[in-house]
Amino acid sequence: INSIIFSGSDLYAGGEEGSGGAVWKYNGTSWSKVGGADISSSLTINSIIFSGSDLYAGGEGSSGGAVWKYNGTSWSKVGGAD
């Protein structure tokens, strides 16, 4: 785990799992992977932040830095070389 943040009563943790970068959400009872899957297979999440209802995850990949946005449904790449 490289980054954690609270949003309301939920705890979010970002980092690298065996298969790639991921963000996890803890609701006080159980953990679930945000978006249901890894963000990218070559990304290590170093920071997470909310802007409004959007969750952003930034990190380093095999080709450089990247920023990803989760809109409540899916992850999409904002910028970077990953």
Side-chain angles (χ1 to χ4, degrees):
I1 296 174
N2 297 329
S3 182
I4 59 172
I5 189 170
F6 274 98
S7 179
S9 60
D10 296 326
L11 172 66
Y12 291 81
E16 182 180 6
E17 198 176 10
S19 56
V23 176
W24 290 82
K25 174 183 169 183
Y26 183 70
N27 63 10
T29 303
S30 61
W31 287 95
S32 61
K33 194 179 290 189
V34 175
D38 293 340
I39 298 171
S40 173
S41 62
S42 63
L43 185 68
T44 298
I45 303 301
N46 294 325
S47 62
I48 49 178
I49 189 168
F50 273 94
S51 178
S53 61
D54 294 326
L55 173 63
Y56 290 85
E60 295 180 58
S62 59
S63 301
V67 177
W68 291 77
K69 174 183 170 184
Y70 183 71
N71 63 9
T73 304
S74 62
W75 288 101
S76 61
K77 191 173 179 182
V78 175
D82 183 30

